[in-house]
Amino acid sequence: MKNFKYLLIFLWFFFFIYLFFQIIEYIKYKKWLKKIEKNPPPKKILNILKSIKYYKLLPENLKKIINFKIQWFLKEKKFFGIYTDITDEIKTKIAFYACLPTVAYKYFCYPNLNYIFIYPNTIILHKKEIENIISNEEILIEGEATKDAVIIVWDKAKKEIQKCHRNVIIHEFAHEIDYNNGAMDGIPPLEESKIKEFAKTMFKEYEKFKENTIKGRFLGKYHLLDKYATTNKAEFFAVMSEYFFVRPAILKKHFPDIYKELKNFYKIDTYKILGENIFC
Ligand SMILES: [Zn+2]
């Protein structure tokens, strides 16, 4: 009995020591966050950011927030290069396009995400299980998002950053945002009262677009969109998010209801920033 009492005291002692160090770590972390919130990123990171046209177009208040978020992202997420060397340019540009969609959510930094894997070229998978069906076909992967990891094919991402018509980084991180309420289903974390309207607006266009694609008709406004968006509702949300950030004029003019819903969710007016132009 006496031994048991000593064991209990011993365990409580270690528990309090553990708690004490956890609290110290948390205080240090909060202090560090406050510090990076006040200060601009290191010069080498800032120079890379200044080479991105999209960054230069952001209003000063958003630049300040994204500077903070990028430093946070770079510190917390672990980058792994698969057959490729990770450079500051790769890390900073991925961090920029990952943080851009959440710029209005200052203290959100993808809490479920830990790893970013960078491949140099398109990955070819020979087998993949999709909804319990094993396919032997070759599947080309240009990016992928799971709960705690994102895969980016840098060759593809780099070309898109230069050409500006699409953006695989925004695409994969839109999936991460979507996943943040527990399911990758095309409905991102929204207030309860807004879910119904969001789903109604988005999926009405999704169904129409899908119907057109099945019939092989790409008439009118639907020819402006990539039919990959008809794969499922999660892909529709990710592709529409790409258009919203990279080519907002298309959504604003031809799909104004989608533009409005995405603007309400992302809390940023991308058309106001980019206008008719496509800048990256
Ligand atoms: Zn996708």
Side-chain angles (χ1 to χ4, degrees):
M1 196 66 190
K2 205 172 175 186
N3 284 348
F4 181 70
K5 202 175 138 189
Y6 284 135
L7 180 69
L8 218 58
I9 293 168
F10 185 73
L11 288 174
W12 272 110
F13 174 73
F14 273 96
F15 173 71
F16 281 116
I17 293 285
Y18 172 77
L19 205 64
F20 174 74
F21 282 106
Q22 287 294 313
I23 292 168
I24 296 286
E25 281 303 310
Y26 181 75
I27 293 169
K28 270 162 66 179
Y29 179 70
K30 284 282 172 191
K31 266 189 175 174
W32 175 78
L33 272 185
K34 280 235 171 314
K35 192 179 151 198
I36 59 164
E37 202 176 334
K38 279 186 202 149
N39 298 308
K43 211 173 171 190
K44 63 176 180 179
I45 303 294
L46 207 54
N47 285 341
I48 297 166
L49 287 173
K50 283 177 182 171
S51 73
I52 304 170
K53 285 183 200 163
Y54 209 131
Y55 175 82
K56 285 195 273 186
L57 285 169
L58 290 176
E60 284 309 311
N61 63 327
L62 294 187
K63 259 185 207 163
K64 226 175 156 184
I65 295 172
I66 212 159
N67 283 348
F68 159 61
K69 286 172 71 83
I70 285 168
Q71 290 185 83
W72 188 5
F73 189 94
L74 290 175
K75 171 91 175 172
E76 268 199 2
K77 313 304 174 196
K78 294 175 188 73
F79 287 76
F80 293 97
I82 317 291
Y83 307 119
T84 193
D85 293 328
I86 301 290
T87 61
D88 284 335
E89 187 200 353
I90 293 177
K91 282 168 73 175
T92 307
K93 286 185 176 172
I94 288 177
F96 173 72
Y97 287 106
C99 295
L100 180 64
T102 64
V103 70
Y105 298 86
K106 194 173 178 182
Y107 297 105
F108 175 90
C109 191
Y110 300 97
N112 298 319
L113 179 77
N114 295 314
Y115 310 106
I116 294 150
F117 296 96
I118 319 287
Y119 283 77
N121 310 105
T122 304
I123 312 155
I124 302 170
L125 288 186
H126 293 279
K127 249 185 184 182
K128 197 181 182 194
E129 193 177 326
I130 303 167
E131 289 170 0
N132 299 327
I133 298 165
I134 303 279
S135 157
N136 283 318
E137 286 174 41
E138 282 191 345
I139 296 166
L140 303 180
I141 305 281
E142 289 167 336
E144 188 101 328
T146 62
K147 190 182 172 189
D148 69 342
V150 162
I151 295 174
I152 298 290
V153 170
W154 182 243
D155 182 47
K156 164 103 175 157
K158 198 176 170 183
K159 274 184 200 151
E160 288 184 347
I161 289 171
Q162 282 157 3
K163 280 191 181 172
C164 313
H165 63 297
R166 296 292 298 274
N167 193 302
V168 70
I169 306 171
I170 291 174
H171 181 107
E172 299 309 334
F173 280 91
H175 281 315
E176 282 299 318
I177 293 165
D178 184 1
Y179 207 91
N180 225 61
N181 56 359
M184 218 182 266
D185 55 2
I187 301 175
L190 284 157
E191 288 162 41
E192 200 65 32
S193 60
K194 291 179 180 167
I195 294 176
K196 210 173 158 188
E197 190 57 36
F198 183 90
K200 196 177 138 198
T201 306
M202 295 293 281
F203 302 146
K204 190 177 81 187
E205 282 295 0
Y206 164 74
E207 295 298 345
K208 274 196 215 165
F209 189 21
K210 201 171 157 185
E211 201 186 312
N212 270 271
T213 309
I214 292 167
K215 289 178 182 166
R217 295 185 311 207
F218 298 101
L219 306 170
K221 61 183 185 178
Y222 293 106
H223 84 275
L224 297 165
L225 304 176
D226 184 342
K227 67 177 180 182
Y228 184 69
T230 63
T231 307
N232 55 46
K233 290 173 180 173
E235 293 304 339
F236 187 76
F237 170 71
V239 174
M240 290 308 113
S241 296
E242 280 184 73
Y243 280 94
F244 179 75
F245 281 98
V246 179
R247 305 177 72 183
I250 287 181
L251 291 190
K252 176 116 176 151
K253 279 187 181 170
H254 304 282
F255 302 89
D257 293 344
I258 291 183
Y259 184 84
K260 194 178 142 216
E261 286 300 329
L262 292 178
K263 190 181 129 196
N264 287 343
F265 171 63
Y266 286 117
K267 299 189 194 303
I268 177 170
D269 192 346
T270 47
Y271 182 77
K272 207 171 164 189
I273 296 169
L274 298 189
E276 297 296 317
N277 301 308
I278 305 166
F279 283 114
C280 307

